[in-house]
């Protein structure tokens, strides 16, 4: 059974960097899937943040492209999100997901609040 | 950017009745369309991918149809556990986008 688990600080200061990790179990991160981050601001809809293939190819939401990096750590079977220069608008529940013709597996989500 | 729209915004349905949810893409996405159900405090759950293929473990009362830019999710014989928000999402392009959602509540 594929499982994903997000981890990282729940509170980030404005202008700081949001860093999250998604631990993957039940499947190799080198399998033919895209590893994706999706976020959801409180009371709002879902926003695709970006994704990475195990070979390192990445795609980012153009609205975040100047601030975002997604990377894979094959040795730990996990992938990570870094979002710099955060503002209150980046406060959201961040989900990691496994994508292969749709997002088939999701983490439980982690709430990140940007506040001083 | 492909813009996804959904209608209606809210749907109230009696138990045992069917519900029809619509999703439209601003340009053709072929059959690269997925549907998700989300309940408060939970991650979305994949219901349908490829416009009409049910995901693993999804009951047969959920069915998807359509192609190109017009899609339908039908929930036949609505059960109490089917309340929630339903999102469509395309994956026809590297930039994936979600619709704004349809809230289904029990009448």
């Amino acid at each position: 059974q594929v499982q994903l688990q997000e981890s990282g600080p729940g509170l980030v200061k404005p202008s700081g960097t949001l860093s999250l990790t998604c631990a993957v179990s039940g499947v190799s991160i080198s399998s033919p899937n895209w590893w994706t981050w999706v976020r959801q601001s409180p009371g709002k809809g879902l926003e695709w943040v970006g994704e990475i293939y195990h070979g390192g190819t990445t795609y980012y939401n153009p609205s975040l492209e100047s601030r975002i990096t997604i990377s894979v750590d094959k040795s730990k079977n996990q992938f990570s999100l870094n979002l710099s220069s955060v503002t209150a608008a980046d406060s959201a529940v961040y989900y990691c997901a496994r994508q292969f013709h749709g997002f088939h597996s999701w983490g439980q989500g982690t709430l990140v609040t940007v506040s001083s | 950017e492909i813009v996804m729209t959904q209608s209606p915004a809210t749907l109230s349905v009696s138990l045992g009745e069917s519900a029809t949810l619509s999703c439209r893409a601003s340009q053709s996405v072929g059959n690269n369309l997925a549907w998700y159900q989300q309940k408060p405090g939970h991650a979305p759950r994949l219901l349908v991918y490829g416009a009409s293929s049910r995901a693993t473990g999804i009951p047969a009362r959920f069915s998807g149809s359509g192609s190109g830019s017009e899609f339908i999710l039908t929930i036949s014989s609505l059960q109490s556990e089917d309340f929630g928000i339903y999102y469509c999402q395309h994956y026809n392009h590297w930039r994936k986008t979600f619709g704004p959602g349809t809230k289904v509540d029990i009448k």
Side-chain angles (χ1 to χ4, degrees), chain B residues 25-40:
Chain B
S26 60
Q27 64 189 73
S28 176
V29 296
N31 67 344
N32 296 311
L33 190 284
W35 290 93
Y36 304 85
Q37 176 197 64
Q38 187 179 32
K39 295 189 176 184

Side-chain angles (χ1 to χ4, degrees), chain B residues 31-93:
Chain B
N31 67 344
N32 296 311
L33 190 284
W35 290 93
Y36 304 85
Q37 176 197 64
Q38 187 179 32
K39 295 189 176 184
H42 287 81
R45 176 175 70 146
L46 178 68
L47 301 173
V48 169
Y49 64 96
S52 61
S53 297
R54 269 189 304 278
T56 303
I58 300 304
R61 65 180 182 273
F62 291 92
S63 63
S65 63
S67 65
S69 60
E70 302 275 352
F71 302 89
I72 297 287
L73 177 70
T74 302
I75 313 171
S76 62
S77 189
L78 203 82
Q79 306 296 302
S80 58
E81 61 266 30
D82 296 336
F83 78 91
I85 300 177
Y86 290 78
Y87 296 95
C88 63
Q89 173 246 333
H90 88 83
Y91 49 93
N92 193 55
H93 183 267

Side-chain angles (χ1 to χ4, degrees), chain A residues 51-71:
Chain A
E51 60 195 23
I52 187 167
Y53 201 65
H54 66 83
T57 300
T58 54
Y59 291 117
Y60 300 139
N61 190 315
S63 68
L64 304 171
E65 191 161 21
S66 63
R67 303 191 287 128
I68 187 174
T69 303
I70 297 176
S71 59

